[in-house]
Amino acid sequence: MTDEQGDPRHLETLDRDLARFSNLEIATSMIARPMVGLGVSLVFVLIAGIAAMLFFGQTNNTLIVVIAACLGAYMALNIGANDVANNMGPAVGANALSMGGAIAIAVIFESAGALIAGGDVVSTIAKGIIAPESMGTASVFIWAMMAALLSAALWVNLATWVGAPVSTTHSVVGGVMGAGIAAAGFAAVNWPTMGTIAASWVISPVLGGTIAAAFLALIKSRIIYRDDKIAAARVWVPILVGIMAGAFASYLALKGLKRIISIDLFTALLIGAAIGVLSWIAMIPVIRKQSQGLENRNKSLKVLFGIPLVVSAALLSFAHGANDVANAVGPLAAIVQASQSGDFTQVVSIPVWVMVIGAFGISFGLFLFGPKLIRMVGSQITKLNPMRAYCVALSAAITVIIASWLGLPVSSTHIAVGAVFGVGFFREWDAERRIRKARINMPNRAHYPPEERRRRKLVRRSHFMTIIAAWVITVPAAALLSGVIFFLISSIMG
């Protein structure tokens, strides 16, 4: 008689039981992962509060500063979870970077940008959105800033949860505006400034999309549609890398290094032109060597754009850390200054410990919650390859330079996502154009019917509508939420 342990049926049953346990472990880990993220976030927020207590010392306003530090840390986490996807999404979607590699690069360069070149001076009332003197007292001002910080953080958190990349700058602007109206009425708001910001909702994505589409058209006409693609790439890829290097040099000189040295637009463009020419010359032998032995097909071209794409993602992260850290810690720094001196009408310097909270918060937020939005921007709006992702990254740098020249406030989120849309819509237009051309040249060839072509759209319309809707309501939603929070705080504290 066969021993029960050797019975094949018993072994099959054991295998099935082990498989069930394995599946249960996987399911448990998937459920536990968000809880780990929330736990780490909560610990970070508490550490920020403790740091505020240690650095600020024991005064009458210590509790207020501790609460504000916790809110600033919460806002920084949300910026990392939502905003950084714009820099890393294209490179990940194009498979130039793995998700782990993208997060590692972003954490390093976001932190470096925030700590080395983070804006050391911001207006007490977030870039002149409301008149400081309208606040009346330091206490009212502090309540307004706390309401603005909390409302902006809650709104960005909600947007991340639904998968919509929104502008954290606009969230803070909306929060400040709503708290200002609640505290001092509609007359407190600087409406011309708000008008320019509202105009940027349209200008940023349209400009970003147009520039990205223009460069994709250039790449297609000069490289992809040529008979000898590799020979064309040897000529044009060094030029394109030179343009990217020059654009990013100007971008960083203008936006990323303003704390270290102040550079005007003309000087920044001269620096960019010099670095662009040097990069173009240096890349000619590099591309010639890289292209040796490559087959004459589109897939081979991806190799040549990989390294420029990774470098651009790192530089975008550095500039983002330098600029957008103020969204998290600007209101916090204003609260600290008002609590220390009672002065809330002058510009405010951001203390180092406050900047550290912002830098680490952005990094933790990206590491814990960033992959969702990185995937959305990188692969779920439209399919990206290294050439298309290159156009998106280059567009982000050039659009910021043009906006600085025109004096327009723009959102890095709107530019980057607009560039992704621009690339996708250009591909749709180009595909339709080629189909029409083929129909004229080969009338007997079978073509997709109109309904099939609609189904094959290259930009996912559901994501497009969700993102546009989130952009439109960001300022009013954050403002309304901030007003409600201000009334709650004032009723509790009053």
Side-chain angles (χ1 to χ4, degrees):
M1 187 174 179
T2 308
D3 180 49
E4 186 181 356
Q5 296 299 325
D7 187 348
R9 286 173 299 178
H10 174 78
L11 293 175
E12 287 175 11
T13 305
L14 183 62
D15 285 341
R16 282 197 299 270
D17 289 341
L18 288 172
R20 288 192 189 101
F21 275 114
S22 177
N23 291 335
L24 182 63
E25 285 176 0
I26 292 168
T28 305
S29 68
M30 292 298 287
I31 293 168
R33 195 175 299 165
M35 299 307 295
V36 170
L38 290 173
V40 173
S41 301
L42 181 60
V43 169
F44 173 71
V45 169
L46 292 174
I47 289 172
I50 294 167
M53 191 183 298
L54 293 174
F55 281 100
F56 194 70
Q58 299 299 315
T59 67
N60 293 333
N61 291 322
T62 298
L63 180 60
I64 290 172
V65 173
V66 168
I67 294 170
C70 292
L71 294 178
Y74 174 47
M75 180 63 182
L77 287 166
N78 283 295
I79 290 175
N82 191 294
D83 231 23
V84 183
N86 311 317
N87 308 324
M88 289 296 152
V92 173
N95 295 319
L97 273 173
S98 66
M99 183 65 76
I103 289 173
I105 288 173
V107 164
I108 292 167
F109 282 87
E110 287 279 340
S111 301
L115 295 173
I116 295 170
D120 63 334
V121 176
V122 291
S123 171
T124 50
I125 309 280
K127 302 172 186 173
I129 305 303
I130 56 176
E133 57 277 6
S134 66
M135 293 286 100
T137 66
S139 296
V140 173
F141 169 75
I142 288 169
W143 301 342
M145 288 297 100
M146 289 178 76
L149 205 48
L150 180 55
S151 66
L154 288 170
W155 174 251
V156 177
N157 197 337
L158 176 64
T160 305
W161 182 65
V162 300
V166 295
S167 168
T168 53
T169 306
H170 289 177
S171 302
V172 172
V173 164
V176 171
M177 184 182 79
I181 291 171
F186 284 91
V189 178
N190 186 336
W191 292 109
T193 301
M194 285 306 303
T196 2
I197 290 169
S200 78
W201 295 342
V202 178
I203 294 167
S204 296
V206 169
L207 198 55
T210 303
I211 292 170
F215 274 99
L216 184 58
L218 176 70
I219 289 171
K220 281 180 176 289
S221 64
R222 297 297 176 186
I223 302 175
I224 294 173
Y225 295 156
R226 295 285 170 168
D227 292 334
D228 191 340
K229 303 178 196 300
I230 303 303
R234 285 174 183 152
V235 173
W236 279 97
V237 172
I239 294 172
L240 292 168
V241 172
I243 293 170
M244 172 173 270
F248 272 101
S250 298
Y251 177 73
L252 288 173
L254 268 179
K255 291 289 182 181
L257 302 175
K258 58 187 176 186
R259 186 178 178 185
I260 300 169
I261 183 171
S262 180
I263 297 174
D264 60 68
L265 178 62
F266 180 72
T267 309
L269 291 175
L270 283 180
I271 292 169
I275 291 177
V277 170
L278 290 173
S279 301
W280 165 53
I281 293 168
M283 287 302 294
I284 291 172
V286 173
I287 296 299
R288 188 179 294 121
K289 186 176 180 181
Q290 273 190 318
S291 63
Q292 285 177 357
L294 291 180
E295 295 180 41
N296 187 32
R297 55 178 184 155
N298 290 347
K299 193 173 181 181
S300 301
L301 300 174
K302 296 177 182 180
V303 178
L304 306 178
F305 283 89
I307 293 173
L309 199 50
V310 173
V311 173
S312 71
L315 293 176
L316 278 174
S317 289
F318 181 89
H320 179 269
N323 284 282
D324 282 40
V325 70
N327 292 335
V329 299
L332 169 57
I335 291 168
V336 170
Q337 179 165 299
S339 300
Q340 278 180 326
S341 63
D343 180 18
F344 58 94
T345 59
Q346 303 300 317
V347 293
V348 53
S349 295
I350 301 179
V352 174
W353 67 270
V354 171
M355 192 67 82
V356 168
I357 288 175
F360 278 86
I362 289 174
S363 298
F364 275 122
L366 168 67
F367 178 73
L368 296 170
F369 308 110
K372 180 178 180 178
L373 265 294
I374 288 176
R375 289 189 193 96
M376 159 70 80
V377 173
S379 58
Q380 293 178 16
I381 295 173
T382 191
K383 184 174 174 56
L384 294 176
N385 62 20
M387 285 83 81
R388 296 167 202 151
Y390 160 88
C391 297
V392 171
L394 180 58
S395 170
I398 292 176
T399 304
V400 169
I401 294 167
I402 293 173
S404 298
W405 174 51
L406 297 174
L408 296 170
V410 291
S411 160
S412 59
T413 302
H414 289 195
I415 293 169
V417 177
V420 174
F421 283 136
V423 162
F425 285 127
F426 174 79
R427 290 178 63 220
E428 285 188 4
W429 174 83
D430 190 51
E432 285 289 330
R433 180 184 65 83
R434 297 181 73 195
I435 287 170
R436 286 195 299 271
K437 187 176 179 182
R439 191 181 292 124
I440 292 168
N441 294 337
M442 293 179 285
N444 297 325
R445 183 181 170 184
H447 299 287
Y448 294 124
E451 61 274 10
E452 177 66 11
R453 291 210 303 276
R454 278 195 295 272
R455 193 180 68 79
R456 289 170 174 258
K457 292 294 185 188
L458 300 177
V459 177
R460 292 182 67 178
R461 296 307 194 263
S462 59
H463 289 321
F464 177 75
M465 297 309 297
T466 301
I467 291 168
I468 295 298
W471 286 358
V472 169
I473 64 173
T474 287
V475 169
L480 182 62
L481 190 57
S482 181
V484 171
I485 292 170
F486 176 82
F487 282 126
L488 288 173
I489 293 173
S490 56
S491 63
I492 293 168
M493 302 296 290

